[in-house]
Amino acid sequence: MGCFGNLLWFVCGGAASGLSWLLAGCLWCISIIGIPVGLQCFKFAKLSFFPFRKEVNYGGGVGSTLLNIVWLIVSGVWLALEHALFGLLLCVTIIGIPFGLQHFKLAKLALLPFGSEVY
């Protein structure tokens, strides 16, 4: 399902989602203060283009925890709710379950992006 799922995901919205995250990351990286947020946007773009067969490892220290708290307050909750809602809608059908699970993966990353790595 990995290669076919990634191709189908890319055609049905992954390309637009990934490009929007790339644009947001470039805009955030214009200022020095926004570079950490821009790097997280690039992480979302990497996962938004082709989410199948990718793993997210969560970790980090005190700095990552503090940045994740700020991220949650500013935009993380809304992004996570959006992906969770899409995941629930896709899991209604049997065919949509693999795509819904990828949205749940993106929702978890939306809650804790700092200190996590996408492989």
Side-chain angles (χ1 to χ4, degrees):
M1 178 71 183
C3 186
F4 179 70
N6 277 330
L7 180 66
L8 195 59
W9 178 277
F10 187 79
V11 170
C12 293
S17 175
L19 287 174
S20 65
W21 279 111
L22 279 177
L23 178 66
C26 289
L27 291 174
W28 273 105
C29 285
I30 290 173
S31 69
I32 294 174
I33 297 171
I35 289 176
V37 177
L39 293 176
Q40 300 315 307
C41 290
F42 294 144
K43 191 182 299 183
F44 275 104
K46 181 179 177 182
L47 195 59
S48 290
F49 278 129
F50 302 109
F52 288 91
R53 291 194 181 166
K54 291 223 175 130
E55 297 293 325
V56 180
N57 291 335
Y58 297 95
V62 176
S64 296
T65 303
L66 294 175
L67 287 172
N68 279 329
I69 291 170
V70 172
W71 174 267
L72 275 172
I73 294 168
V74 174
S75 62
V77 173
W78 301 112
L79 287 170
L81 285 175
E82 176 188 357
H83 284 295
L85 178 67
F86 283 134
L88 286 173
L89 289 174
L90 284 168
C91 283
V92 171
T93 64
I94 293 174
I95 296 171
I97 289 174
F99 299 101
L101 294 176
Q102 300 311 312
H103 273 290
F104 292 140
K105 185 189 313 183
L106 286 164
K108 186 175 178 185
L109 183 64
L111 288 175
L112 304 168
F114 292 95
S116 61
E117 294 185 23
V118 177
Y119 297 105

